[in-house]
Amino acid sequence: MSSDPTTTPVAPEVEQRVDSADTTLHNPRSAVVALGSNLGNRLENLQGAVDALEETPGVRVKAVSAVYETDGVGGPEGQPTYFNAVLVLRTTLPPHSLLERANAVEDAFGRVREVRWGARTLDVDILAYEGVELTQPELTLPHPRAHERAFVLAPWLDADPEAELAGHGPVAGLLAAVGEDGVRRRTDLALHLPQ
C-alpha cells in the first residue's frame, strides 16, 4: 500500500497501474471489460485474457479487480460456477476493433458458442467505452444487462470505486440495488497486471 495520502488504498487482490506519462498511447479512452470462465483452469483463463489484452497494441490494462466466484445466470441448469473479474483499460482502439480483439482472445482459449449463456472457457465482454453509446446487432454500449448483474458490478466496483454506468448511475448504487447473492469474493485468488 502506498504511503502517499492522496492515493486511495485498494485491497491486495485489486491491482491498479498509475502512469505519470503513458507514452504508448495517444488520445486514449477508457473502456471497461468483464471476464468470465467456468470451464478448464478458470484462473489461468482469466489471467491469460489479462495478459493477451495488455499485449494488444493500443491497449493498456490500468486496473484488475479481485476474482469472484459466481453462480451461472440465465443459462442452462447445472453449469459449473464461474470465476469473474473486471478490467479497466485505456485504449486507442475504436469499440468495434476492441470487440474483434476480445473475440479473438476468447477463440484463443477455445471458446465454443453453441448454447446461449452456456458454459465457456472464456468470456470477454465490453461493458462500457468512454463517450460511446450505440445499439447494433454485434455490439451494444453500455452493455445492456450490466446494471442487473452482481457478477459484473461487484468486480467493477473493486476495479474502479468511483465507476458510473451511463444511463444508470453509480456502480456502487446499482450493486446495492441488485444485492450480492450468488457472488463470492475469492480472497485466496488474484489476477495480476502484466509487468
Side-chain angles (χ1 to χ4, degrees):
M1 230 183 258
S2 172
S3 59
D4 181 352
T6 63
T7 59
T8 303
V10 294
E13 305 87 20
V14 179
E15 288 198 26
Q16 296 178 324
R17 172 184 285 138
V18 179
D19 297 320
S20 57
D22 190 339
T23 58
T24 64
L25 300 178
H26 301 286
N27 302 315
R29 292 195 184 182
S30 294
V32 182
V33 173
L35 306 178
S37 175
N38 73 336
L39 293 178
N41 187 321
R42 298 169 295 171
L43 188 64
E44 282 186 12
N45 293 343
L46 296 190
Q47 185 63 57
V50 174
D51 296 344
L53 287 168
E54 175 66 15
E55 291 167 4
T56 303
V59 174
R60 185 88 163 141
V61 180
K62 303 302 287 186
V64 180
S65 76
V67 175
Y68 284 76
E69 188 165 16
T70 66
D71 299 331
V73 173
E77 294 292 322
Q79 288 192 56
T81 58
Y82 283 81
F83 281 178
N84 292 101
V86 164
L87 311 179
V88 177
L89 311 177
R90 295 290 282 167
T91 184
T92 56
L93 297 182
H96 285 88
S97 296
L98 185 59
L99 176 64
E100 287 175 13
R101 180 58 178 154
N103 290 339
V105 171
E106 291 176 344
D107 292 344
F109 282 83
R111 169 75 184 267
V112 176
R113 296 170 178 82
E114 292 178 348
V115 178
R116 187 173 189 204
W117 295 328
R120 75 283 311 262
T121 53
L122 184 62
D123 195 23
V124 182
D125 283 337
I126 304 172
L127 301 177
Y129 189 103
E130 180 184 353
V132 174
E133 293 185 31
L134 58 87
T135 303
Q136 296 176 351
E138 68 280 4
L139 181 62
T140 298
L141 292 171
H143 191 287
R145 291 172 298 280
H147 66 286
E148 304 169 342
R149 295 177 165 177
F151 67 85
V152 164
L153 298 170
W156 190 352
L157 191 61
D158 275 350
D160 182 0
E162 303 301 318
E164 295 205 14
L165 179 59
H168 296 283
V171 168
L174 297 172
L175 180 59
V178 300
E180 295 185 54
D181 287 347
V183 177
R184 300 164 294 283
R185 184 175 177 146
R186 290 290 302 267
T187 57
D188 58 320
L189 303 174
L191 299 173
H192 301 286
L193 287 166
Q195 298 303 310

